[in-house]
Amino acid sequence: MLNGANHEIEGEPVLARVLADAGVPERGVAVAVDGAVVPRASWGEHRISEGARVEVLTAVQGG
């Protein structure tokens, strides 16, 4: 699941690929997999297991 919606993964189930396929920008977001934040430096090697919950949070300025 990506932000609560089902998302098919084609090819290698690596976080960076899943995010790119979904059009998620590389900057200004934080990503958590099954509740644990994954540092951007690890996106290219972090494998997504079947049924994993991926949450993308966008940074917003202001108060």
Side-chain angles (χ1 to χ4, degrees), residues 2-29:
L2 179 62
N3 284 350
N6 287 327
H7 183 80
E8 292 293 324
I9 299 174
E10 295 183 23
E12 190 175 4
V14 176
L15 182 57
R17 182 183 181 112
V18 171
L19 297 174
D21 287 351
V24 174
E26 293 184 18
R27 300 254 179 225
V29 297

Side-chain angles (χ1 to χ4, degrees), residues 15-61:
L15 182 57
R17 182 183 181 112
V18 171
L19 297 174
D21 287 351
V24 174
E26 293 184 18
R27 300 254 179 225
V29 297
V31 178
V33 178
D34 292 332
V37 174
V38 179
R40 183 176 312 130
S42 300
W43 291 2
E45 56 199 47
H46 189 96
R47 296 184 67 82
I48 304 297
S49 61
E50 187 171 334
R53 296 175 58 124
V54 178
E55 299 292 332
V56 179
L57 307 169
T58 303
V60 177
Q61 290 183 325

